[in-house]
Amino acid sequence: MEDRKETLRKISSERWRIAIILSVCMLVIYFGFILLIAFDKPLMGSLITDGLSLGILLGALVILSAWVLTTVYVRWANRVYDEKIAQLRSKP
């Protein structure tokens, strides 16, 4: 019984580690974008092409990065976390 608890604790700590890493990545991306808006407006307002500024492009990339990081977590959870939990449940 203690072995199962220890295994579950390790699995849980691994899940938290992944969640924290991905959360920190998202926070860095988001606050980096916000800080660029706050402190370098001319850069963010510079046009890449007609009708597309750097700020709009980076804003879209912030949203896209949220989707990418969510996909990374879901794939990890489906491949690693769920598999380890299934193995733990199947043990007598």
Side-chain angles (χ1 to χ4, degrees), residues 20-86:
I20 288 171
I21 289 169
L22 293 175
S23 295
V24 166
C25 288
M26 190 66 234
L27 285 170
V28 166
I29 291 167
Y30 178 75
F31 283 111
F33 176 69
I34 296 300
L35 289 172
L36 275 174
I37 291 171
F39 295 111
D40 204 351
K41 286 185 177 105
L43 174 68
M44 297 299 273
S46 61
L47 292 178
I48 296 173
T49 64
D50 284 341
L52 180 64
S53 68
L54 182 60
I56 296 295
L57 178 62
L58 290 179
L61 290 175
V62 167
I63 294 168
L64 181 65
S65 69
W67 281 90
V68 168
L69 292 174
T70 301
T71 302
V72 167
Y73 178 78
V74 169
R75 285 181 177 231
W76 174 85
N78 289 339
R79 291 181 182 167
V80 178
Y81 180 74
D82 290 347
E83 182 66 32
K84 288 181 179 181
I85 292 296

Side-chain angles (χ1 to χ4, degrees), residues 1-11 85-92:
M1 186 65 166
E2 286 299 316
D3 184 43
R4 288 175 62 108
K5 285 183 180 180
E6 181 63 26
T7 303
L8 186 59
R9 189 192 64 72
K10 286 179 182 177
I11 293 170
I85 292 296
Q87 288 174 359
L88 186 63
R89 286 182 179 165
S90 67
K91 284 184 181 178

